């Protein structure tokens, strides 16, 4: 009802992103900050603005105001930008913050990272028509942030800040098929199960599709039996398409500086070994392999407590990441200002 509180009903960051995305699609606009400040529907209604439905997927407003240029966050390799809400809440920056959407994926024409970047830029330019631009991305989605920067630089636009949050640049193309890699990520998400149930899923995973694995997870109790899996199947299938685009992307050397916020500890799977998609010396190096395409002096490596997951999920670690990211963002403005007066 109009007196219900979004968070008391079980709302959280991921559901907040879904809510913001769905309301944008029907022309209703408000920010994530509005939702956090007015979680009761009756109060939230007064903050909502009606606008024409956008012709391209629109960025989600996380923080609406600020005197500095906007910071655009890129979704992860699974299209998830819910991490932005909890991270931005702890940041100390005087700028608007937006979470960028994935564009609709074309089922007929195979996606490339360059094509995805070009479509995402349409949403960026609705907000900021000209540079300098500032980007941040987490996990493999951070490589999309780099591809967006590449595209903008090709258009003679300036990119003044790129933050990559724990993403490794593998030395060699992955030998694992994208769908297989997505199945492994999905399987690891069930690491909390007892040994017997996890073993059932692990044996089943090698010979199943993503949809079949999700159905099997429902049968063993890993997923509520009454949950509709349609949207999850689509999400994992899009993740596989995005992974395929990553595998095809030839990462260029760009005239930019990057900030690499790397997790101090390796991510272990349920099988007590590093995940196969993060194996190799680049996964343990603070540079995360980016020194192969960029000069060492242009990479600012900053450690964050935790592993790839807990650096974002554990509140104490997330606070450290937010503080370090804020400092880097503010420092980049100070450095550029001082360079102009030299």
């Amino acid at each position: 009802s109009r007196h219900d509180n979004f968070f008391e009903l079980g709302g959280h960051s991921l559901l907040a992103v879904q809510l913001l995305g769905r309301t944008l699609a029907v022309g209703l606009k408000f920010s994530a900050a509005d939702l956090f400040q007015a979680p009761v529907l009756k109060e939230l209604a007064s903050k909502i603005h009606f606008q024409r439905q956008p012709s391209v997927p629109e960025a989600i407003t996380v923080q609406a105001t600020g005197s500095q240029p906007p910071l655009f966050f890129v979704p992860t390799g699974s299209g998830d930008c819910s991490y932005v809400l909890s991270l931005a809440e702890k940041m100390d920056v005087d700028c608007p913050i937006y979470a960028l959407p994935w564009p609709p994926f074309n089922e007929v024409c195979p996606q490339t990272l360059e094509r995805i970047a070009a479509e995402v830029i349409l949403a960026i330019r609705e907000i900021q028509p000209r540079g300098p631009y500032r980007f941040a991305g987490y996990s493999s989605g951070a490589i999309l942030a780099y591809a967006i920067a590449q595209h903008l630089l090709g258009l003679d636009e300036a990119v003044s800040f790129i933050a990559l949050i724990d993403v490794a640049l593998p030395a060699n193309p992955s030998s694992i098929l994208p769908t297989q890699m997505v199945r492994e990520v999905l399987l690891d998400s069930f690491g909390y199960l007892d040994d017997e149930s996890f073993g059932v899923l692990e044996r089943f995973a090698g010979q199943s599709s993503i949809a079949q694995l999700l159905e099997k997870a429902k049968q063993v109790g890993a997923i509520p039996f009454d949950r509709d899996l349609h949207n999850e199947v689509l999400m994992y299938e899009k993740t596989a398409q995005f992974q395929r685009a990553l595998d095809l992307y030839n990462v260029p050397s760009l005239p930019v500086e990057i900030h690499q916020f790397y997790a101090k500890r390796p991510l272990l799977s349920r099988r007590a070994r590093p995940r196969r998609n993060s194996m190799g010396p680049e996964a343990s190096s603070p540079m995360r392999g980016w020194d192969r395409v960029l000069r060492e002096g242009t990479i600012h490596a900053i450690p964050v407590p935790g592993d790839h997951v807990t650096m974002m999920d554990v509140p104490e670690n997330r606070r450290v990441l937010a503080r370090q990211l804020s400092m880097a963002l503010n420092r980049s403005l100070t450095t550029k200002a001082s360079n102009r007066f030299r």
Side-chain angles (χ1 to χ4, degrees):
S1 78
R2 63 184 182 276
H3 302 294
D4 280 336
N5 184 302
F6 176 78
F7 297 104
E8 289 177 1
L9 290 174
H12 48 73
S13 294
L14 181 56
L15 288 175
V17 166
Q18 293 175 4
L19 173 63
L20 287 160
R22 290 182 185 182
T23 52
L24 279 173
V26 295
L28 302 176
K29 187 172 184 179
F30 59 96
S31 72
D34 290 333
L35 178 59
F36 281 98
Q37 292 165 10
V40 176
L41 185 58
K42 182 180 178 181
E43 299 169 358
L44 181 63
S46 65
K47 297 179 178 290
I48 293 176
H49 307 282
F50 184 79
Q51 60 180 24
R52 64 177 179 81
Q53 289 183 243
S55 57
V56 296
E58 195 168 353
I60 291 172
T61 305
V62 178
Q63 181 169 299
T65 60
S67 63
Q68 300 169 4
L71 175 63
F72 295 96
F73 278 93
V74 178
T76 67
S78 61
D80 177 23
C81 55
S82 62
Y83 76 92
V84 184
L85 275 62
S86 51
L87 182 61
E89 188 182 11
K90 300 299 180 185
M91 290 178 65
D92 181 21
V93 289
D94 181 24
C95 68
I97 298 175
Y98 297 93
L100 294 169
W102 262 359
F105 279 20
N106 189 328
E107 300 291 340
V108 178
C109 183
Q111 285 289 357
T112 65
L113 213 61
E114 292 88 348
R115 186 178 294 122
I116 296 171
E119 291 192 47
V120 172
I121 285 170
L122 297 177
I124 294 169
R125 287 192 141 167
E126 287 281 326
I127 296 163
Q128 185 184 358
R130 299 300 304 268
Y133 293 100
R134 309 196 295 177
F135 299 104
Y138 172 43
S139 193
S140 57
I143 301 179
L144 176 58
Y146 192 82
I148 292 170
Q150 175 192 358
H151 193 99
L152 287 168
L153 289 169
L155 297 174
D156 291 327
E157 292 285 3
V159 176
S160 60
F161 184 82
I162 303 176
L164 309 180
I165 304 174
D166 205 51
V167 57
L169 202 59
N172 302 302
S174 174
S175 59
I176 306 173
L177 293 175
T179 303
Q180 181 185 350
M181 186 176 292
V182 171
R183 279 199 303 264
E184 288 204 4
V185 171
L186 176 56
L187 188 63
D188 276 350
S189 71
F190 300 129
Y192 58 86
L193 292 172
D194 60 81
D195 290 343
E196 182 179 353
S197 299
F198 186 83
V200 169
L201 288 181
E202 187 174 29
R203 290 189 294 273
F204 187 78
Q207 55 194 10
S208 68
S209 67
I210 293 168
Q212 290 169 335
L213 181 56
L214 283 167
E215 282 293 343
K216 193 70 173 179
K218 184 186 284 190
Q219 292 172 19
V220 302
I223 295 174
F225 199 75
D226 59 351
R227 184 189 294 179
D228 183 0
L229 297 178
H230 176 71
N231 287 336
E232 287 186 59
V233 171
L234 287 178
M235 185 269 287
Y236 281 111
E237 287 177 349
K238 283 187 175 182
T239 302
Q241 290 184 55
F242 184 77
Q243 185 60 49
R244 194 171 293 112
L246 282 179
D247 290 345
L248 295 172
Y249 181 52
N250 184 22
V251 183
S253 176
L254 298 179
V256 295
E257 294 186 3
I258 66 169
H259 290 77
Q260 172 71 274
F261 299 87
Y262 67 93
K264 288 183 178 180
R265 293 189 288 123
L267 177 62
L268 298 179
S269 74
R270 171 67 178 268
R271 287 147 284 185
R273 56 167 174 74
R275 283 244 295 267
R276 277 191 274 175
N277 59 332
S278 62
M279 291 287 278
E282 65 278 350
S284 57
S285 164
M287 300 293 183
R288 292 296 194 263
W290 287 89
D291 48 335
R292 291 198 310 278
V293 294
L294 297 173
R295 289 184 295 104
E296 189 171 330
T298 63
I299 305 171
H300 307 281
I302 303 154
V304 178
D307 61 29
H308 183 73
V309 174
T310 61
M311 70 185 299
M312 194 69 76
D313 285 358
V314 174
E316 294 81 2
N317 297 345
R318 187 169 61 243
R319 274 194 290 271
V320 173
L321 173 59
R323 183 171 65 249
Q324 296 283 17
L325 179 55
S326 300
M327 289 171 58
L329 199 63
N330 293 327
R331 195 182 303 119
S332 71
L333 280 173
T334 304
T335 301
K336 285 174 173 55
S338 63
N339 287 340
R340 283 200 301 270
F341 290 103
R342 282 178 183 174

